[in-house]
Amino acid sequence: NRAGASGQLGSALVEHFLNKGAFVYATDIHAAPPSHFEALAKKFPSLCAYHTLDVTKESSIRAVKEKTGRIDVLINNAGIAVFTPFEKRSEQELDDVMAVNIKGTILCSKVFAEDMQAGSSIINIGSIYGVVPADKAIYGDSGRNSSEIYAATKAGVIHFTKYLAAYLGEKGIRVNAVSPGGIFNDQRDVFVKNYVQNSLEQLHELYTK
């Protein structure tokens, strides 16, 4: 499933910016806003709006831009993952993940950066798996194997961020990527323990080379 403003990370970002007094345009593929967004809209009636957006289509992005106008901060948070084994990867899964995770990030940046002014910011959401490889052993029999295509697209997001930071830097537009580690969502204790230990070992190896 695609997750934008309705996802666990997206909804937390929306609420954080609203609490800081920012006007937030929340977007997602869904036609109707999620229930938690409706609650936020009641709490912050003058600070938020929801728009349906398909990040894989430039026409959809431009349609939303016509409603929002110029923005100061763009967070490219829409993402999708697949969990089937590498040996069973389908072409459709490859196309879907690449379209949302990397094509969507590029298209949204392209369209919204057109009117951004100096001091504006683009924040891309990468992943720890765009930096270090996933260890399938930590997933056990959960069926939640982290996929090769997810990792490849998140690595692509990180590299694209470096490119765009240099490209838009002369206009005074900042471009950064955040690569979160695991986000707790009621996973089994054994998985959390294995994940934390594996992540610590990988990060230690990465930064002590």
Side-chain angles (χ1 to χ4, degrees):
N1 293 327
R2 298 186 194 182
S6 68
Q8 186 180 8
L9 182 57
S11 59
L13 289 169
V14 168
E15 187 166 4
H16 173 78
F17 276 85
L18 287 173
N19 282 321
K20 293 297 182 179
F23 190 99
V24 177
Y25 294 105
T27 64
D28 209 304
I29 190 68
H30 308 296
S35 58
H36 71 267
F37 184 82
E38 293 178 350
L40 287 174
K42 291 179 180 179
K43 184 178 179 181
F44 303 96
S46 61
L47 289 178
C48 56
Y50 178 85
H51 298 294
T52 302
L53 173 65
D54 184 346
V55 299
T56 69
K57 294 181 172 60
E58 185 169 343
S59 59
S60 178
I61 300 169
R62 291 198 176 279
V64 169
K65 183 185 176 184
E66 289 181 3
K67 300 173 184 176
T68 64
R70 183 182 64 83
I71 62 173
D72 299 310
V73 179
L74 169 67
I75 302 180
N76 286 310
N77 175 65
I80 186 173
V82 290
F83 302 105
T84 47
F86 170 65
E87 293 80 6
K88 297 182 180 180
R89 181 71 56 241
S90 69
E91 288 189 50
Q92 189 63 56
E93 287 175 326
L94 291 173
D95 291 343
D96 289 345
V97 178
M98 288 190 290
V100 175
N101 293 4
I102 189 66
K103 178 183 176 183
T105 297
I106 293 173
L107 285 178
C108 286
S109 299
K110 169 193 170 186
V111 172
F112 284 104
E114 291 172 346
D115 299 329
M116 280 185 166
Q117 297 179 352
S120 298
S121 174
I122 296 176
I123 303 170
N124 298 323
I125 303 300
S127 168
I128 190 173
Y129 287 153
V131 181
V132 297
D135 181 354
K136 68 178 183 178
I138 68 175
Y139 292 90
D141 60 356
S142 67
R144 300 283 290 184
N145 307 290
S146 186
S147 66
E148 81 299 327
I149 187 57
Y150 178 82
T153 57
K154 288 303 184 178
V157 166
I158 294 169
H159 190 80
F160 169 67
T161 299
K162 295 176 181 179
Y163 171 88
L164 202 62
Y167 189 81
L168 295 179
E170 62 183 21
K171 296 181 180 180
I173 299 172
R174 302 186 310 277
V175 186
N176 293 280
V178 178
S179 293
I183 298 176
F184 183 68
N185 190 21
D186 296 323
Q187 293 95 338
R188 294 184 300 179
D189 290 343
V190 64
F191 169 78
V192 174
K193 179 181 178 180
N194 290 341
Y195 182 92
V196 170
Q197 182 60 38
N198 180 261
S199 296
L200 290 174
E201 291 173 357
Q202 287 183 318
L203 290 173
H204 180 266
E205 180 181 354
L206 178 67
Y207 291 109
T208 57
K209 286 182 178 180

